Amino acid sequence: MEFNEAQMRAVNHKEGPAMVLAGPGSGKTTVITHRVKKLIEGGVSPEKIMVVTFTKAAAVHMQKKFFSIMSGENWIKGSYPVTFGTFHSIYFRILKLSGRYKSENILSTKMQNDIIREIVIRKKIEVPSMYDFMQNIIGEIGNIKGNMIPPEEYNPLCCEREKFKIVYEEYEKELAAGNKIDFDDILLKCYEMLKNDRELCEKWQEIFEYILIDEFQDINRVQYEIIKLLAEPQDNIFIVGDDDQSIYGFRGACPEIMLDFEKDYVEVERILLNVNYRSKKEIVKLSENLIKNNIKRFDKNIVSANGEGLKPDVRKFETQYDELMYVCEFIKKNIEKGIPPNEIAILVRNNSQIPVIKNILKENSVSISGGKTENGIYENGVGKDIISYIKAAMTYKNVELGNNADLIYILNKPARLVSRQIISKENMNFTQLKKIYEHNAESLECIRKLEFDLNMISKLNPGAAFLYIKNGVGYEKYLEDYAREKKIKSGELKKQLETIRRDSGKYETLKEWVEDAEIKDTEQKTKKENDVNIMTMHSAKGLEFEIVIIVDVIQGIIPTSKAVREREFEEERRLFYVAVTRAKSTLGIYTIEKSLGCEVEASMFINESIE
């Protein structure tokens, strides 16, 4: 394979720290895998090399690419035991091998949500939206741990400090009582262990002599502090990333770490991969016009290895309907020209924009794949709740409450004043649970009703069981409350409920219904390869498409109202930069004049891009 001069410098780098600034489409994965190959050819033992990235999918992709370049005729699986993994998987491996924790100690995302919800209910904390509060406070807890901020010094954004303090302290108590750690604790516990046990730290320093990190711009403080410990004393740390594509500040990513990397490692070799092999010149030019407006960044001069291409199509429409009708015709014309539908992507700022867009496109015979609504009727939402109630009713007498995943899933649908931590205790059953709560009349009544409801459901046929869950259990009322919490219309949820009701009437027994629901779920989750993609700008990170269409590019959406209000545009600008650089040959940027009958303003990023 032929490399350009900058790529060759990166591939051939061996000792000491290096920072590779990798612009969009610059071949960073190829550089990382070929550098690993070069290290091995130079005599470095594969076991001594660690390659870290942020997602399991990216780690698997990197590993497969590495194996493909190392294979040849005589390659045997296992001949090159390089460690590829995410920060969490590698750091948990270190914790696990130290004997501190096992897989069962890790708290799932769902368990985390359940614990927060229960704390809010138990402590009777008033929140405007339970859903928003849970998502925000989980993010803020992660930020505290990921960036090593003392809780007492933290100023929460989601609520008053006193509320946050109560939830945080109760959350940590729940985790300690169940000997659980969340995903952010994996990092924090690993750091504390390595920092405090010098002998153990030196052992892992000997194991991982060469460390390569992909997407370094997304790193947080604790991830970085562990890397610094592991890299000592040789400091063979090779970081690859693009500060212009740092878009996860809301998850605790700290782009300043990359910007300050040369202060920590003064001997670092800086290498700029500035050739874009993905996009046409006109698209690269537009993206450069945009991103140069950011102040906190490394200066780069990105050039395209491709031809001029079409000038990006920037248009303004009167309404969103006009905009989407144009998009429909534009997509159809390109498909007729031979562009595969899955090489076309519609990008939006928020998931909430997707349902309306999907409906209009489908009405105009454009088949769409993607977004949170792309699921089977029993894969999530209402369908999963109903089937979980049925399965819980069928199994609660024979399975310990703490091992009954379906029962735990519906425990607070509607809310019941019972701690998930208590119900999950070993050998727990309803008799013991009622004994524990015998001095709490409100909780005791909830437990008795739940047991009665499950018993009733188990005796009914599918249609009657559905009606009992809807009315007798109070699930329909729960959906109405849930819709208010999430600030969404309850009509869509009730449509899902009606779909499930119709489906339930097709079966004679609960067992038959559950089995068929599982088959349907599997079938409907199969991805349609011949559909046009629709996704958020965040979801598009790391992907590329022949045609990218960005819709609803208005102030208040991109950049968000919050960013406009606080005059904080840099991360929003980076996000728009990520969106436009997904396009290979054709880019459409569309804005509107009116939304819901009100005048709106085109995004500031449009003018910046087309200067």
Side-chain angles (χ1 to χ4, degrees), residues 44-57:
V44 176
S45 173
E47 294 95 334
K48 299 283 188 181
I49 303 170
M50 174 173 73
V51 183
V52 196
T53 190
F54 283 81
T55 68
K56 184 178 179 181

Side-chain angles (χ1 to χ4, degrees), residues 60-72:
V60 169
H61 172 71
M62 190 95 66
Q63 186 177 45
K64 284 180 178 177
K65 189 155 188 174
F66 168 70
F67 284 158
S68 73
I69 65 172
M70 295 299 288
S71 58

Side-chain angles (χ1 to χ4, degrees), residues 32 36 66 90 108 136 142 159 210 223 252-253 265 317 415 444 461 468 477 539 567 586:
I32 292 170
V36 174
F66 168 70
I90 293 171
S108 71
N136 292 335
C159 62
Y210 291 83
Q223 289 166 342
Y265 296 94
F317 300 89
L444 186 60
N461 63 45
Y468 187 87
K477 174 66 166 58
S539 299
R567 310 296 295 171
T586 305

Side-chain angles (χ1 to χ4, degrees), residues 349-350 554-569 572 600 604-605:
R349 174 61 178 86
N350 305 309
I554 61 176
Q555 287 293 94
I557 291 184
I558 178 73
T560 63
S561 299
K562 183 175 184 290
V564 172
R565 195 165 54 247
E566 298 176 359
R567 310 296 295 171
E568 292 286 346
F569 300 120
E572 287 290 299
V600 292
M604 60 190 284
F605 299 150

Side-chain angles (χ1 to χ4, degrees), residues 495-507:
K495 280 183 189 175
Q496 293 179 41
L497 201 60
E498 178 59 19
T499 300
I500 305 303
R501 184 197 66 76
R502 289 197 301 269
D503 200 53
S504 69
K506 300 174 185 176
Y507 306 101

Side-chain angles (χ1 to χ4, degrees), residues 433-463:
L433 193 62
K434 284 183 280 191
K435 189 170 181 60
I436 290 169
Y437 280 97
E438 61 185 351
H439 300 299
N440 186 328
E442 200 174 357
S443 296
L444 186 60
E445 179 56 31
C446 287
I447 295 166
R448 284 175 175 160
K449 185 171 188 320
L450 176 60
E451 185 179 23
F452 177 83
D453 289 341
L454 293 174
N455 185 49
M456 283 295 295
I457 293 165
S458 69
K459 296 175 181 179
L460 300 171
N461 63 45

Side-chain angles (χ1 to χ4, degrees), residues 537-554:
M537 298 173 186
H538 283 100
S539 299
K541 177 79 163 58
L543 304 177
E544 61 181 37
F545 304 93
E546 202 63 44
I547 298 173
V548 167
I549 301 164
I550 310 174
V551 297
D552 298 344
V553 186
I554 61 176

